[in-house]
Amino acid sequence: MSYPPADDRLRHLLAQRINCHVDTWKLAFFIAGAIVDDSDVQDEIERIGAAHARGQHCGDRHCPACFKAVTGA
């Protein structure tokens, strides 16, 4: 079995990052779950993915992929 599990990868990846800033893994996993389950977050991930799939700038000024595309860095 690989980690993070393919069926819950986003939640686990977020929890790993959040865990550095909170006291417990359980809290990190709870916060990550709330983020992943939020419909606005899901819509934004879809919007960004669709723009990138079309080769367009996603409009997020902090997007590393778009920054690289514009600057060639």
Side-chain angles (χ1 to χ4, degrees), residues 1-13 29 36-37:
M1 185 165 145
S2 64
Y3 186 84
D7 64 340
D8 204 15
R9 185 171 171 79
L10 181 58
R11 185 180 326 262
H12 280 264
L13 291 172
F29 203 72
V36 169
D37 294 340

Side-chain angles (χ1 to χ4, degrees), residues 6-26:
D7 64 340
D8 204 15
R9 185 171 171 79
L10 181 58
R11 185 180 326 262
H12 280 264
L13 291 172
L14 287 169
Q16 283 179 321
R17 298 288 185 214
I18 294 167
N19 194 39
C20 298
H21 306 284
V22 298
D23 291 333
T24 66
W25 170 253
K26 186 175 181 178

Side-chain angles (χ1 to χ4, degrees), residues 66-73:
C66 292
F67 180 80
K68 285 180 184 177
V70 170
T71 63

